[in-house]
Amino acid sequence: RLKLGDLCLDSFPFSGATSLLGPLQIGLPAVAIDGSCFRNLVAPAILRELGVPELVADSTEAYVALACRLAADGESRRKLRETITAQMRRHPRFLNSRWYAGQAGEKLREMWEACGPKA
C-alpha cells in the first residue's frame, strides 16, 4: 500500500524510527519535524543521513507548509524519491549493524576506561 502513496507524514511530537523505514525503502519522501530530545530527533537524523535535510521542518507550521508544498509538486517528489532510493541502496549507516556495533563498542570501551575498576 505504501507504493500507492506520494508522501509520508512522520508522526509528531514523537518521530518515527522503524515506522519510517518502510516508506524509505520504497523511496517514499517523508516529512518530519526537528526536535530537541531523542524521541523527536530520530526521523530528522535518518533523513539527514540520507542527504534530504530539506524534508525536516523546524516547526509545526513549517511541517504543514512543507507537506502541502510537496503534495502539490510532483516533480520535487520524483527527485526526492530518486535521491532516497539511491541513498537506501548504498546501505546507510543507520541500517549498518557492523558500523553501529563498532560505534557502540568504542563508547563502551571509553566508559570502561573512564569508570571501570582501576588496576
Side-chain angles (χ1 to χ4, degrees):
R1 285 180 232 161
L2 286 173
K3 291 179 181 179
L4 298 173
D6 292 321
L7 188 62
C8 174
L9 301 178
D10 187 40
S11 58
F12 67 91
F14 302 117
S15 68
T18 55
S19 62
L20 196 58
L21 296 181
L24 295 176
Q25 286 175 328
I26 63 163
L28 191 61
V31 176
I33 298 177
D34 214 355
S36 59
C37 69
F38 177 77
R39 285 298 300 147
N40 54 12
L41 288 170
V42 177
I46 288 172
L47 294 171
R48 287 184 178 107
E49 179 70 21
L50 288 177
V52 286
E54 64 270 31
L55 292 175
V56 179
D58 62 2
S59 69
T60 304
E61 294 78 16
Y63 173 91
V64 171
L66 177 57
C68 289
R69 182 181 65 76
L70 288 172
D73 187 348
E75 181 61 19
S76 289
R77 289 193 318 272
R78 185 191 62 74
K79 289 177 183 177
L80 287 164
R81 189 178 286 263
E82 288 175 1
T83 299
I84 291 166
T85 299
Q87 290 296 89
M88 290 296 284
R89 284 187 186 135
R90 290 189 177 106
H91 200 64
R93 289 188 299 182
F94 59 84
L95 294 176
N96 186 334
S97 58
R98 288 185 190 261
W99 175 84
Y100 181 82
Q103 294 294 304
E106 179 62 26
K107 294 303 176 193
L108 289 170
R109 185 188 61 73
E110 289 173 15
M111 286 189 296
W112 178 262
E113 289 175 357
C115 303
K118 306 299 178 201

